[in-house]
């Protein structure tokens, strides 16, 4: 009899263990991606890969007006575990510079119309910033977004209100919440920034269309006693107490449309942002590490404008897709160029042409040539001419 009970107990243990393993496999999702780059650049451009990202005449041949870099652009791994209304998400970014956290999110979805995300997550401002990294169709964010969101992630809480499919508001979604404004680094105080994105999307026959609007409102600490803003073509210098909070304010609008044509599906995307950016004299980039000290005060207020237009053209019955792009980044819309403080105030335009080859499921090869044009400013020698900074990238990506 004891042997019978022992066998039954063993059978039940194995059964429960197998069931638990099967349940675990059903709940756990594993994914990731790998990107490798080959880059050809004119000598005044900056590479995205390699230990030396700039032209070096000693190593790159002084007779050339270009240089070449290749390497791992980035990789990533994503783990998600589902249990009822709760999902835990963890992501890591890996590249030749090291490993960084990409996401650590508690996702709660108690009903069809509401979703809550808490933790380190992608900023939900606009369209392109919120795309997962391997889904970046033009390989990198446009220049403006790479500056105002130096890293596309931050610590915060997002609440999403999603109109039910059977309601009259079907297609409407509102994402809103707060972030620390400090990217992946620890927050030093209790101050938060507001981020909101309202979007409407619809399908009419074979046409998909969407339109959205975004708001980012926060403040940045200024360790300097001076506060500088541009008043038309004159600098307005105000002396204030240290730790003055400078406004960080962005307004955005985005739109997308996708429709069939004779040669294949056509997709057009555009996004434009206007705002006020607290910045340093020689850098427009937003802070990402609480760089508030006497040597790098964010004490200059610049009004800026920028955005992009992307055109994607699928070639019917082929694995190829053509890419066209135009981007604009004007970091100082207030002052005329003769009153610019530094190269940070210079306007940039980029024209891009490329092709994507979807080799097989998850594997694609993209080639993109960017022609960069800068505003010419006589009193800034490095930008008194159109710089030699065109950039060709060939990227092989595998997503799994």
């Amino acid at each position: 009899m004891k042997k019978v009970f022992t066998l039954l107990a063993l059978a039940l243990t194995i059964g429960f263990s197998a069931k638990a393993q099967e349940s675990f496999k059903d709940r756990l999702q594993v994914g990731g991606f790998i990107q490798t780059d080959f880059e050809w650049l004119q000598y005044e451009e900056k590479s995205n890969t390699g230990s030396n990202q700039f032209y070096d005449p000693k190593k790159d041949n002084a007779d050339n007006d270009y240089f070449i870099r290749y390497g791992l652009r980035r990789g990533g791994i994503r783990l998600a575990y589902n249990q009822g209304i709760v999902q835990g998400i963890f992501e890591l970014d890996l590249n030749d510079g090291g490993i960084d956290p990409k996401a650590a999110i508690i996702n709660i979805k108690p009903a069809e119309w509401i979703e809550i995300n808490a933790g380190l997550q992608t900023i939900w401002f606009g369209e392109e910033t919120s795309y997962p990294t391997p889904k970046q169709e033009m390989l990198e964010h446009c220049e403006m977004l790479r500056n105002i969101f130096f890293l596309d992630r931050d610590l915060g809480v997002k609440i999403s209100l999603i109109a039910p499919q059977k309601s009259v508001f079907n297609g409407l979604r509102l994402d809103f919440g707060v972030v620390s404004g400090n990217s992946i680094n620890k927050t030093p105080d209790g101050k938060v920034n507001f981020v909101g994105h309202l979007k409407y999307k619809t399908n009419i026959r074979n046409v998909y269309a969407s339109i959205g609007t975004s708001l980012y409102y926060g403040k940045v600490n200024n360790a300097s006693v001076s506060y500088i803003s541009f008043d038309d073509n004159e600098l307005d210098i105000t002396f204030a107490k240290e730790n003055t909070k400078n406004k960080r304010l962005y307004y955005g609008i985005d739109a997308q449309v996708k429709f069939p044509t004779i040669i294949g599906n056509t997709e057009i995307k555009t996004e434009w942002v206007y705002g006020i950016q607290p910045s340093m004299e020689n850098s427009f980039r937003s802070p990402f590490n609480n760089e508030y000290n006497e040597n790098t005060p964010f004490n200059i207020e610049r009004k800026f404008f920028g955005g992009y237009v992307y055109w994607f053209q699928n070639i019917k019955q082929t694995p190829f897709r053509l890419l066209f792009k135009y981007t604009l980044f004007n970091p100082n819309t207030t002052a005329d160029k003769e009153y610019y403080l530094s190269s940070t105030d210079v306007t940039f335009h980029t024209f891009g042409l490329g092709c994507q080859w979807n080799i097989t499921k998850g594997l694609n090869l993209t080639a993109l040539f960017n022609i960069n044009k800068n505003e010419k400013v006589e009193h800034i020698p490095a930008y008194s001419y159109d710089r030699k900074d065109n950039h060709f990238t060939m990227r092989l990506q595998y997503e799994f």
Side-chain angles (χ1 to χ4, degrees), residues 22 108 147 179 229 341:
E22 183 179 351
I108 305 171
N147 275 272
V179 296
S229 62
L341 283 178

Side-chain angles (χ1 to χ4, degrees), residues 187-259:
T187 180
D189 53 36
K191 304 296 189 299
V192 293
N193 298 343
F194 174 84
V195 188
H197 184 215
L198 178 64
K199 181 177 180 178
Y200 176 73
K201 62 181 181 180
T202 185
N203 283 283
I204 303 175
R205 295 183 181 178
N206 294 324
V207 178
Y208 166 86
S210 71
I211 187 168
T213 182
S214 301
L215 171 67
Y216 186 106
Y217 178 78
K219 293 188 176 181
V220 170
N221 189 33
N222 176 20
S224 175
V225 296
S226 65
Y227 172 76
I228 303 172
S229 62
F230 287 86
D231 183 11
D232 292 327
N233 287 321
E234 295 183 0
L235 287 177
D236 180 14
I237 303 177
T238 303
F239 291 93
K241 295 180 180 180
E242 291 186 18
N243 299 320
T244 301
K245 298 292 181 180
N246 297 344
K247 187 181 296 183
R248 185 181 176 189
L249 177 63
Y250 314 145
Y251 301 99
I253 185 168
D254 58 88
Q256 301 82 40
V257 62
K258 184 176 182 179
F259 52 91

Side-chain angles (χ1 to χ4, degrees), residues 96-131:
D96 53 10
I99 301 175
D100 290 318
K102 173 72 175 179
I105 307 169
I106 301 171
N107 174 270
I108 305 171
K109 193 167 185 178
E112 177 189 0
W113 58 273
I114 186 169
E115 185 175 346
I116 302 169
N117 286 281
L120 180 65
Q121 57 192 298
T122 301
I123 296 176
W124 52 95
F125 182 95
E127 186 71 14
E128 189 178 38
T129 302
S130 61
Y131 281 4

Side-chain angles (χ1 to χ4, degrees), residues 243-369:
N243 299 320
T244 301
K245 298 292 181 180
N246 297 344
K247 187 181 296 183
R248 185 181 176 189
L249 177 63
Y250 314 145
Y251 301 99
I253 185 168
D254 58 88
Q256 301 82 40
V257 62
K258 184 176 182 179
F259 52 91
T261 61
I262 297 175
I263 61 173
N265 285 335
T266 298
E267 189 172 2
I268 301 172
K269 299 181 179 182
T270 185
E271 182 173 358
W272 298 93
V273 180
Y274 166 79
I276 299 173
Q277 174 76 338
S279 51
M280 296 179 282
E281 179 177 346
N282 296 311
S283 176
F284 189 84
R285 193 203 66 207
S286 296
F288 76 105
N289 192 24
N290 277 309
E291 302 153 304
Y292 312 133
N293 58 62
E294 294 179 359
N295 296 321
T296 56
F298 286 80
N299 64 325
I300 299 179
E301 181 182 278
R302 290 180 169 95
K303 293 181 180 179
F304 71 94
F305 176 73
Y308 62 82
V309 178
Y310 298 156
W311 181 300
F312 307 102
Q313 183 63 58
N314 290 342
I315 307 301
K316 188 179 292 186
Q317 297 179 343
T318 75
F320 297 103
R321 191 185 200 200
L322 300 179
L323 317 175
F324 307 91
K325 82 176 215 182
Y326 168 72
T327 69
L328 165 67
F329 177 37
N330 182 349
N332 192 337
T333 62
T334 307
D336 292 336
K337 61 182 180 181
E338 55 264 33
Y339 295 93
Y340 287 172
L341 283 178
S342 68
S343 59
T344 305
D345 300 297
V346 175
T347 297
F348 293 88
H349 303 262
T350 299
F351 303 87
L353 173 64
C355 181
Q356 183 180 76
W357 175 23
N358 295 307
I359 303 170
T360 187
K361 183 179 181 181
L363 182 66
N364 63 65
L365 180 66
T366 302
L368 182 65
F369 184 71

